[in-house]
């Protein structure tokens, strides 16, 4: 148990990346290590309320300044995607900037981590295919903690097992068999977020990009391509506000007779404990009414108050999100696991298929 905010911040920098992510992002791995050794950086993260005290916020703040042309950082970040930067040189130089001028980070700490990870649509797709096989053919969808709402376009993305020429495709490995039937037809697409990001606004688009990890050049490129394409896709209904305030509005005005599907991916992790508890209770009541199916994709240790089902076994790999689903009228059940950005998915829904 970590007692004071400073030690908590240091612990968080040290555990910011999974082993797998650290291997693929050596500059970010080194940067987290060096930030964890810096008293200035520890104090910056410690100043953030505990539910938002995520080292990714500091990484995003620095990346945001670099994208904005800060002349101390822009050059250091410019070629991170090429894999040629020396991690120690990069991290040392960035931490020196933070220590000389902490405002480069503190000026962005009013924000929150708002990564809109499109890769998570590769987790939602097989779940939705399974829901369709179980009778949900035409649905409205709600994404809680939707950020810019890009996962509300879940049915627009192609999922492939390994990267190819198409940079917009989501790369995801299936561990075991996944449902391959059709997706449901999607009617209304509604997102709830404390701060919905609007990609037509330059600052929102820059923050969204800043939340991505610049060493992952393909992910950066994919966001850019999808941002452009999505301007011509179906309109989204984005509701600004906390989940408890906007849940009722989001579920109103159904465009189909069938139950809606509500999901959240790496969002409940950011709700304070009392919000997790109340949201979980309200969802169980709403689902019992038969009007809604509920899909949760969250890292179990981060959502202890939600009352989600016990997985009843170990995840297939480290750093896994649990996929839990409540069919309309039923209790939530464990359906499987996924890598937190959707790089692999393992699904074994219980019970008979329709
Ligand atoms: C890490 S992002 C994940 C975004 C998206 N679900 C994804 O998977 O890419 C978490 C999002 O949840 C939103 N959020 C956090 N607490 C919230 C709350 N109490 N009510 C509504 N949205 C919230 C944040 O603003 C942020 O956009």
């Amino acid at each position: 148990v970590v007692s004071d905010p400073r030690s908590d911040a240091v612990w968080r920098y040290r555990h910011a990346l999974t082993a797998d992510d650290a291997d693929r992002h050596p500059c970010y791995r080194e940067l987290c290590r060096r930030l964890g050794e810096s008293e200035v950086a520890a104090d910056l993260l410690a100043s953030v309320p505990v539910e938002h005290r995520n080292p990714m916020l500091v990484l995003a703040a620095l990346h945001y300044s670099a994208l904005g042309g800060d002349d101390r950082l822009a050059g250091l970040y410019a070629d991170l995607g090429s894999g040629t930067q020396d991690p120690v040189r990069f991290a040392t130089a960035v931490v020196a900037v933070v220590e000389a001028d902490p405002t480069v980070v503190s000026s962005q700490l009013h924000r929150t981590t708002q990564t809109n990870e499109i890769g998570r649509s590769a987790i939602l797709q097989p779940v939705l295919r399974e829901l369709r096989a179980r009778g949900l053919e035409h649905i409205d969808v709600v994404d809680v903690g939707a950020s810019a709402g890009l996962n509300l376009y879940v049915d627009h993305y192609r999922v492939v097992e390994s990267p190819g020429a198409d940079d917009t495709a989501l790369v995801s490995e299936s561990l075991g068999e996944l449902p391959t039937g059709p997706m449901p037809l999607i009617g209304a697409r509604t997102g709830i977020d404390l701060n919905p990001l609007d990609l037509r606004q330059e600052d929102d688009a820059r923050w969204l990009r800043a939340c991505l990890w610049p060493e992952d050049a393909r992910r950066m490129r994919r966001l850019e391509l999808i941002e452009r394409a999505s301007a011509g896709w179906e309109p989204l209904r984005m509701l600004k506000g906390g989940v408890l305030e906007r849940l009722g509005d989001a579920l109103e005005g159904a465009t189909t007779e069938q139950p809606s599907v509500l999901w959240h991916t790496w969002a409940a992790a950011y709700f304070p404990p009392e919000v997790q508890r109340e949201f979980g209770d309200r969802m169980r009541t709403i689902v019992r009414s038969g009007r809604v199916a509920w899909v949760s994709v969250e890292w179990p240790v981060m959502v202890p108050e939600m009352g989600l089902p016990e997985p009843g076994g170990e995840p297939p790999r480290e750093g896994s999100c649990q996929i839990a689903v409540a069919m309309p009228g039923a209790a939530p059940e464990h359906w499987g696991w996924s890598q937190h950005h959707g790089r692999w998915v393992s699904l074994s829904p219980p019970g008979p298929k329709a």
Side-chain angles (χ1 to χ4, degrees):
V1 178
V2 180
S3 46
D4 68 292
R6 159 85 80 86
S7 319
D8 180 48
V10 170
W11 187 91
R12 286 173 194 248
Y13 280 126
R14 286 196 188 132
H15 295 85
L17 300 184
T18 63
D20 175 40
D21 284 333
D23 280 348
R24 282 182 296 107
H25 305 88
C27 289
Y28 259 29
R29 178 191 63 213
E30 193 58 26
L31 181 55
C32 289
R33 195 176 73 72
R34 297 297 311 274
L35 288 167
E37 291 169 357
S38 157
E39 290 189 3
V40 173
D43 285 340
L44 284 164
L45 187 56
S47 72
V48 177
V50 67
E51 63 272 20
H52 294 296
R53 197 179 293 148
N54 184 338
M56 296 307 141
L57 184 55
V58 174
L59 298 179
L62 288 163
H63 191 195
Y64 175 86
S65 298
L67 291 171
D70 182 303
D71 54 13
R72 299 158 300 179
L73 293 169
L76 291 167
Y77 278 76
D79 63 348
L80 271 191
S82 68
T84 56
Q85 267 272 26
D86 173 46
V88 173
R89 190 186 142 269
F90 167 77
T92 307
V94 174
V95 172
V97 172
V98 175
E99 292 188 334
D101 177 14
T103 63
V104 74
V105 170
S106 62
S107 59
Q108 303 309 324
L109 292 182
H110 60 284
R111 301 180 188 259
T112 57
T113 317
Q114 289 206 264
T115 320
N116 201 182
E117 179 47 67
I118 310 158
R120 296 190 182 123
S121 280
I123 311 168
L124 294 169
Q125 276 196 13
V127 171
L128 291 176
R129 291 185 203 284
E130 179 66 21
L131 292 177
R132 163 95 187 228
R134 293 178 184 217
L136 299 189
E137 292 179 357
H138 189 182
I139 56 173
D140 290 336
V141 296
V142 177
D143 183 353
V144 175
S147 181
L150 293 174
N151 283 321
L152 286 164
Y153 293 121
V154 56
D155 49 342
H156 283 259
Y157 308 127
R158 213 162 63 83
V159 179
V160 295
E161 288 255 341
S162 48
D166 177 3
D167 273 342
T168 60
L170 314 181
V171 180
S172 183
E173 184 189 349
S174 48
L175 305 189
E177 264 184 48
L178 296 181
T180 52
M183 296 269 287
L185 266 180
I186 297 182
R189 300 165 196 256
T190 303
I192 303 177
D193 205 286
L194 281 175
N195 178 39
L197 295 179
D198 178 352
L199 295 174
R200 290 162 303 185
Q201 306 293 329
E202 204 186 312
D203 189 62
D204 282 7
R206 180 167 141 208
W207 182 242
L208 190 62
R209 223 160 285 147
C211 288
L212 283 192
W213 302 352
E215 286 174 280
D216 201 337
R218 189 175 184 280
R219 222 168 135 216
M220 295 290 289
R221 208 158 45 240
R222 186 179 69 193
L223 177 64
E224 222 167 272
L225 292 169
I226 287 175
E227 251 182 61
R228 233 176 288 150
S230 67
W233 294 346
E234 300 89 337
L236 304 178
R237 184 169 69 125
M238 296 295 281
L239 304 177
K240 183 177 169 77
V243 57
L244 298 179
E245 288 76 50
R246 302 313 303 262
L247 188 58
D249 303 331
L251 292 170
E252 254 167 33
T255 66
T256 109
E257 306 257 293
Q258 293 207 311
S260 299
V261 177
L262 176 146
W263 67 69
H264 44 89
T265 61
W266 256 106
Y270 293 89
F271 302 169
E274 63 283 5
V275 175
Q276 285 190 9
R277 217 170 301 133
E278 167 131 22
F279 175 60
D281 287 347
R282 278 176 52 187
M283 282 311 300
R284 271 179 285 278
T285 307
I286 292 168
V287 169
R288 255 198 310 273
S289 75
R291 286 169 45 221
V292 175
W294 173 24
V295 179
S296 164
V297 180
E298 299 284 345
W299 192 22
V301 293
M302 300 294 285
V303 290
E305 304 296 331
M306 294 268 292
L308 290 168
E310 285 296 324
E314 287 300 309
R317 293 184 188 170
E318 183 227 19
S320 305
C321 287
Q322 182 190 26
I323 305 169
V325 178
M327 292 300 291
E333 294 178 298
H334 174 80
W335 274 33
W337 296 100
S338 71
Q339 194 267 348
H340 61 122
H341 290 155
R343 295 172 63 87
W344 56 261
V345 182
S346 154
L347 207 62
S348 42
K353 295 177 174 55

